[in-house]
């Protein structure tokens, strides 16, 4: 049992900058955003132990990571960096 008093009030905040490397090596900013675990949707991936019932910094970090992955995937699809889903 990893729960500790006070963990239910934790928060993880990440400043994220997505950049693309252009031909010739130049770096171009694509998008910047902030993710806050207090407003990010809870991660639904149960394979790594995170569930919607868990609280604390581990669950907060999992939610932030899932939201970053979702946004990066959306940006990649909009810019045709990934093949379209079938």
């Amino acid at each position: 049992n990893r729960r500790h008093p006070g963990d239910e009030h934790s928060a993880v905040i990440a400043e994220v900058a997505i950049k693309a490397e252009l031909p010739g090596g130049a770096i171009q900013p694509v998008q910047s955003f902030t993710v806050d675990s207090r407003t990010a949707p809870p991660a639904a991936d149960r394979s790594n132990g995170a569930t919607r019932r868990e609280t604390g910094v581990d669950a907060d970090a999992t939610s932030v990571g899932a939201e970053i992955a979702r946004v990066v995937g959306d940006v990649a699809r909009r810019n045709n960096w990934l093949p379209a889903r079938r």
Side-chain angles (χ1 to χ4, degrees):
N1 188 353
R2 295 179 61 183
R3 291 187 182 182
H4 301 285
D7 280 354
E8 64 275 3
H9 301 294
S10 65
V12 173
I13 301 170
E15 297 281 333
V16 181
I18 302 172
K19 299 177 183 179
E21 184 174 351
L22 303 173
I27 303 293
Q28 176 183 2
V30 177
Q31 183 174 346
S32 296
F33 59 99
T34 302
V35 181
D36 186 332
S37 63
R38 294 170 292 189
T39 58
D45 182 6
R46 299 175 192 274
S47 63
N48 64 7
T51 66
R52 293 177 190 264
R53 293 184 310 243
E54 286 186 2
T55 60
V57 73
D58 289 343
D60 293 342
T62 300
S63 295
V64 166
E67 183 65 10
I68 292 169
R70 185 193 67 74
V71 172
V72 170
D74 289 347
V75 168
R77 279 187 287 285
R78 280 196 314 263
N79 287 288
N80 295 319
W81 297 336
L82 297 175
R85 289 184 179 176
R86 294 181 190 187

